Amino acid sequence: DELRRRGARFALDNFSMLQESLMLVHALRPAYIKLSPVYSRDLARNADCRFLVQSLVRVAQTLDIAVYAQAVEDPALVPELAKLGLSGYQGYAAARPAPLA
């Protein structure tokens, strides 16, 4: 609470949906959550995984917390992420790394 009053924000990275983790979301109220890459790999082929991610997104939205996917390599997964309500993603689906110059 003191950090928040001072304007600091933080995130939960590589988030995995365990009971303890879900309690942390409610208690800590991070600015955003970045899901563990395992969820990105399983979303396309696993209905249970989609259900868990969508449930987390719904809970997070009620707390005004954004949820992001990590390691999204397949561009075909991006529309599914949007349907599930994720705020965004990281990964090669957006673009491959390129030189700065």
Side-chain angles (χ1 to χ4, degrees):
D1 288 335
E2 178 64 26
L3 291 173
R4 220 177 262 103
R5 280 193 294 275
R6 292 176 182 256
R9 296 176 57 191
F10 66 94
L12 296 176
D13 195 9
N14 290 321
F15 185 81
S16 187
M17 287 180 259
L18 306 170
Q19 181 178 357
E20 299 83 12
S21 301
L22 293 173
M23 291 187 308
L24 277 176
V25 169
H26 188 265
L28 297 176
R29 307 273 174 114
Y32 62 92
I33 296 168
K34 286 180 15 182
L35 293 175
S36 170
V38 70
Y39 297 103
S40 298
R41 290 191 290 271
D42 288 347
L43 270 176
R45 62 184 177 274
N46 187 321
D48 290 337
C49 181
R50 284 191 302 278
F51 173 77
L52 285 173
V53 169
Q54 188 172 39
S55 298
L56 172 65
V57 168
R58 287 181 181 158
V59 168
Q61 286 173 339
T62 65
L63 299 170
D64 200 27
I65 300 170
V67 179
Y68 297 93
Q70 292 189 90
V72 178
E73 310 302 336
D74 183 1
L77 185 56
V78 175
E80 182 69 23
L81 298 173
K83 282 196 300 189
L84 294 173
L86 278 91
S87 300
Y89 68 94
Q90 290 179 313
Y92 292 154
R96 304 296 289 178
L100 291 175

